Amino acid sequence: MGTWDSGPFDNDTAADWCGDLHDAAPEARAGMVRQALQSAAESADYLDASEGCEAMAATAIVAAECCGGPPVTSVYAPDFLVEGGRVGLSDDLVPLALRALDRVLGEGSELRQLWEEADGGRSLLAEAEPLRAALLRGAAG
């Protein structure tokens, strides 16, 4: 996995997933976000880094669109989102996004393990905190 920064879109896997999301028919996009979140949240096995990367990108999109979280501005995010477009997500994705984020940050996550080895996990946690805060606000309101 090529990683150039710690943001949710700053690795090859997330950038590829975002490209697929951008290229997908608009009516298929919400399902793609849901699938990325479910894949991580419902994984009972060791969570592969690629699933974690996709879930982080999907979580960032849910946090921005449903919860007023950090805006999607990365050049590696889907162009339509950077340009102010929307996926058309439902609020029921907020609890799923929280579960996916917990899974990515928890024990048994390769992405967490890789960031632990790189910098003690500080970068991953720093990127995840504003997403978690937005999702928690969204879940409460």
Side-chain angles (χ1 to χ4, degrees), residues 2 4 6 37 45 53 75 84 96 103 108 115 136 139 141:
W4 47 87
S6 58
L37 296 172
D45 299 323
C53 290
V75 298
L96 181 60
R103 186 69 178 88
W115 278 106
L136 288 171

Side-chain angles (χ1 to χ4, degrees), residues 10-54:
D10 298 338
N11 60 74
D12 289 337
T13 302
D16 289 346
W17 181 82
C18 287
D20 291 343
L21 186 66
H22 177 81
D23 292 341
E27 63 273 9
R29 291 172 176 162
M32 290 178 66
V33 171
R34 181 178 299 277
Q35 180 58 45
L37 296 172
Q38 282 178 325
S39 202
E42 297 174 1
S43 173
D45 299 323
Y46 189 71
L47 185 65
D48 185 65
S50 62
E51 288 178 299
C53 290
E54 290 176 2

Side-chain angles (χ1 to χ4, degrees), residues 35-91:
Q35 180 58 45
L37 296 172
Q38 282 178 325
S39 202
E42 297 174 1
S43 173
D45 299 323
Y46 189 71
L47 185 65
D48 185 65
S50 62
E51 288 178 299
C53 290
E54 290 176 2
M56 284 293 291
T59 296
I61 292 169
V62 172
E65 186 166 318
C66 298
C67 307
V72 175
T73 58
S74 172
V75 298
Y76 305 105
D79 292 339
F80 74 94
L81 291 177
V82 175
E83 295 165 359
R86 298 177 59 80
V87 177
L89 301 174
S90 60
D91 290 341

